[in-house]
Amino acid sequence: MKKGFHILCSLYTFLQMVISDTGYFWHITDIHYDFTYHGRQLSCNKTNLPDNVGQFGDFWCDSPWLLVNSSVRVMADIKSDVDFVLWTGDTVLHAKNEDLSYDINAGILDNVTDVIKTMLPSVPVYATFGNHDYFPYNQFPPYNNLLYNDTLDRWGSWLNDLSQQDNFRKGAYYTQKTRSGLRIVGLNTNLYYTPNKAILNYTDPADQIAWLNSSLSQARQNKEKVLVTAHIPPGVYTPDGVIWMHLIYHEPLISVLREFTDIIVAMHFGHDHADGFKILKNEKGKTAVPIFVAPSVTPSRNPAIRLIKYDRSTGVHLEIEQYYLDLLKANKNGAAMWELEYKTSSHYGLDRLTAADLSNLAEKMKEASSNEFKNYWKFNRVTPPKNLAEACNDECHSSIICGFTEFDMDNFKSCKASMVSKASKPSNFIADVLIKLVAVSVLYSSA
């Protein structure tokens, strides 16, 4: 009897797996490999740098090779049988242009491409550039150039679609379908980055917006689900309150994305060196698409990578498992012991990661003292050591809450003003009650 019961349980579990068709993918970003870490230390902030930097990195420098290698190796160690990897750029170190060159940047891209191919040889990688990957940094041109051409060869085994080669040569963007049928749209949002001067005379640099509109229209016709990925995220970076892109490009980009929220299941970005999310509303103002921003490998904070569980048939994201390296502990022990930082199911109580689920979570975070917001702030900073922990005051809190849903600066500021107004109402209410109590007291004492 017991044996039959166990067989039925096993069959039920198997059927659940078949029906749900669950898959996984990794997201790694902002590696910023500093090949001079043990020498000239080109990326390091020399003012705050300790006398002896750690072998796995330092909070005032970019990544040494030991950290780069470890971050890719641990993905293979934790889960190598993933459907794909998202690699959202900024692989080159932070350094002055006079200390870099095209050949140096290309060599760095070669190094990291090779280690990913070595550690995860059979896994497709959907890679996009970061703003530091071009030389000179930030100045991505809206036309064919040496970096685009060379990288097409470098990533050719991943970009295994002849129809996308012209798009990549033109502007380093492309689209491909995964083995399960999910369509990946890889964008070059560095074209729109505010320091980029190479695109100022163009209304649609590299015709990327027009191409995006056309590609999403075709995907809708084909009844496909789409995942959008790139380096620089749209919307407002919080808590600083900055939009990373030129508004003349940011606004039409958001407009196209809003138009196709019925087929876009999620978006993934890097650049912020912090963990976060946003919620894009559709044209009718309803929550529609979750946007995820992954923290960096480079140790501006503790290094991190993330594993995403999703439903292959719908593209709906089910879980994020974030792994991080306690940098101080790793340097002290001489070993990189990556740890699970959090799971969205256990730390946020979410069994899915739809826009509606994130919207409900954001609603709970409106109370700054809530466990949900405390967790979010800690993970946003990648569980920092006590001496580097930062407080999030009222200004910081309101910025984060409004940044979840507001993609326009005027709306973002109005949202913050509204939060400040609401926050002041309880104290005004208490003051009114006290005044009335005093008035009643005086009335009775004089009677």
Side-chain angles (χ1 to χ4, degrees), residues 1 10-11 14 34 44 84 93 118 123 155 158 172 174 178 215 219 243 258 261 282 304 327 372 374 387 392 412:
M1 186 73 178
S10 299
L11 181 61
F14 173 74
D34 184 356
C44 298
F84 56 89
L93 68 157
T118 300
V123 179
W155 296 345
W158 297 331
Y174 63 93
T178 67
S215 297
I243 291 178
R258 286 194 200 280
T261 53
N282 63 20
L327 193 62
E372 288 83 1
K374 288 178 181 177
N387 63 321
C392 187
F412 173 75

Side-chain angles (χ1 to χ4, degrees), residues 165-185:
Q165 290 188 2
D166 288 344
N167 294 325
F168 197 91
R169 287 195 179 97
K170 184 178 185 179
Y173 55 82
Y174 63 93
T175 180
Q176 283 195 292
K177 284 179 72 172
T178 67
R179 295 163 181 164
S180 62
L182 180 64
R183 179 161 295 281
I184 305 293
V185 172

Side-chain angles (χ1 to χ4, degrees), residues 11 33 86 99 104 188 214 254 286 309 343 390 437:
L11 181 61
Y33 167 41
L86 297 182
D99 292 320
I104 289 173
N188 182 8
S214 174
I254 294 298
K286 293 184 178 180
K309 178 183 177 183
K343 295 175 71 169
E390 307 164 64
L437 286 173

Side-chain angles (χ1 to χ4, degrees), residues 126-398:
Y126 302 112
T128 48
F129 287 123
N131 54 290
H132 280 274
D133 297 333
Y134 195 80
F135 179 82
Y137 61 83
N138 299 332
Q139 305 309 308
F140 273 81
Y143 46 76
N144 179 259
N145 61 79
L146 188 60
L147 178 65
Y148 298 172
N149 289 339
D150 283 354
T151 303
L152 187 59
D153 295 332
R154 184 178 290 119
W155 296 345
S157 61
W158 297 331
L159 288 170
N160 192 21
D161 185 347
L162 293 176
S163 69
Q164 295 303 308
Q165 290 188 2
D166 288 344
N167 294 325
F168 197 91
R169 287 195 179 97
K170 184 178 185 179
Y173 55 82
Y174 63 93
T175 180
Q176 283 195 292
K177 284 179 72 172
T178 67
R179 295 163 181 164
S180 62
L182 180 64
R183 179 161 295 281
I184 305 293
V185 172
L187 298 177
N188 182 8
T189 50
N190 307 292
L191 290 168
Y192 315 137
Y193 193 31
T194 49
N196 189 3
K197 306 285 193 297
I199 42 73
L200 294 181
N201 294 324
Y202 295 80
T203 54
D204 183 7
D207 301 322
Q208 183 172 228
I209 297 292
W211 171 85
L212 177 63
N213 186 73
S214 174
S215 297
L216 293 176
S217 295
Q218 188 63 52
R220 179 185 279 162
Q221 270 189 351
N222 297 340
K223 297 182 179 179
E224 296 171 338
K225 293 300 181 183
V226 176
L227 184 155
V228 176
T229 183
H231 181 64
I232 298 174
V236 182
Y237 167 63
T238 59
D240 292 30
V242 175
I243 291 178
W244 293 126
M245 302 183 200
H246 292 287
L247 295 184
I248 58 170
Y249 309 128
H250 183 258
E251 290 169 359
L253 173 63
I254 294 298
S255 179
V256 172
L257 294 174
R258 286 194 200 280
E259 184 181 344
F260 292 95
T261 53
D262 58 315
I263 62 169
I264 301 174
V265 293
M267 303 186 220
H268 291 269
F269 301 92
H271 186 68
D272 290 356
H273 292 211
D275 180 348
F277 70 83
K278 300 179 187 297
I279 307 152
L280 183 68
K281 297 176 182 178
N282 63 20
E283 293 173 312
K284 295 180 180 179
K286 293 184 178 180
T287 57
V289 178
I291 297 176
F292 303 97
V293 182
S296 62
V297 169
T298 196
S300 48
R301 298 185 174 92
N302 279 320
I305 53 173
R306 59 173 43 169
L307 180 67
I308 298 97
K309 178 183 177 183
Y310 76 110
D311 186 319
R312 290 192 183 110
S313 60
T314 63
V316 171
H317 289 21
L318 306 174
E319 174 100 282
I320 288 176
E321 293 180 15
Q322 184 121 302
Y323 293 87
Y324 84 114
L325 182 66
D326 184 324
L327 193 62
L328 296 181
K329 187 192 295 184
N331 286 332
K332 180 181 178 181
N333 297 338
M337 302 298 293
W338 291 76
E339 305 171 59
L340 177 66
E341 184 185 21
Y342 72 87
K343 295 175 71 169
T344 48
S345 58
S346 55
H347 288 83
Y348 290 121
L350 300 176
D351 57 6
R352 301 194 314 166
L353 298 173
T354 65
D357 293 309
L358 293 184
S359 183
N360 290 335
L361 176 61
E363 190 65 30
K364 294 176 182 177
M365 289 188 196
K366 286 184 177 179
E367 178 55 59
S369 61
S370 67
N371 287 331
E372 288 83 1
F373 185 75
K374 288 178 181 177
N375 275 338
Y376 181 85
W377 180 244
K378 180 176 74 169
F379 300 143
N380 179 269
R381 270 31 203 167
V382 197
T383 310
K386 289 183 179 180
N387 63 321
L388 291 178
E390 307 164 64
C392 187
N393 59 19
D394 290 344
E395 175 78 11
C396 162
H397 174 252
S398 62

Side-chain angles (χ1 to χ4, degrees), residues 88-107:
T88 50
D90 260 10
T91 306
V92 174
L93 68 157
H94 297 88
K96 297 176 182 178
N97 280 320
E98 52 262 38
D99 292 320
L100 298 173
S101 68
Y102 174 82
D103 289 338
I104 289 173
N105 288 18

